[in-house]
Amino acid sequence: MAYTIAVQKYACLSACREVQTCISAVRPHEGYILEIEYVSGSRLFLDMKPHLHKLRFHPLTDAAIWNSAATEGIFVRFGALSAGEVELSHDEILS
């Protein structure tokens, strides 16, 4: 399994360097599961529940913020950053 993740991470980083994007789409699901689709075609389902008690991720408990997940290819953003909302980079997601 670690080998598969390493291969996917390498493929994603290679694609990022070529097209300057890594993440092609994000979809927030019920139960605080975030679906992340990469340009390589890989998909990652990230369970955010264990992180919601942390100050950084607590704003995601607001349904409007959780459902606002968007990407420009490098970051996943929730809500308005000017209001101090949440941002994750593709490197952070894969680590």
Side-chain angles (χ1 to χ4, degrees):
M1 180 154 157
Y3 175 75
T4 302
I5 292 170
V7 169
Q8 289 174 345
K9 184 174 181 178
Y10 176 78
C12 178
L13 294 176
S14 295
C16 288
R17 288 187 187 100
E18 292 174 20
V19 296
Q20 298 301 309
T21 61
C22 233
I23 302 168
S24 59
V26 293
R27 291 171 205 83
H29 295 283
E30 288 184 26
Y32 299 102
I33 304 296
L34 184 64
E35 180 182 353
I36 303 163
E37 184 175 334
Y38 291 92
V39 295
S40 65
S42 296
R43 288 188 182 176
L44 173 71
F45 291 86
L46 184 61
D47 183 357
M48 293 297 295
K49 284 184 301 251
H51 307 286
L52 296 177
H53 72 281
K54 298 175 185 171
L55 183 62
R56 178 179 176 199
F57 297 111
H58 186 71
L60 298 180
T61 60
D62 180 323
I65 293 173
W66 173 251
N67 289 313
S68 71
T71 186
E72 88 305 346
I74 300 296
F75 294 93
V76 174
R77 293 188 171 108
F78 299 87
L81 284 178
S82 60
E85 301 304 346
V86 179
E87 174 181 84
L88 295 165
S89 73
H90 69 277
D91 289 332
E92 188 174 21
I93 293 166
L94 290 174
S95 62

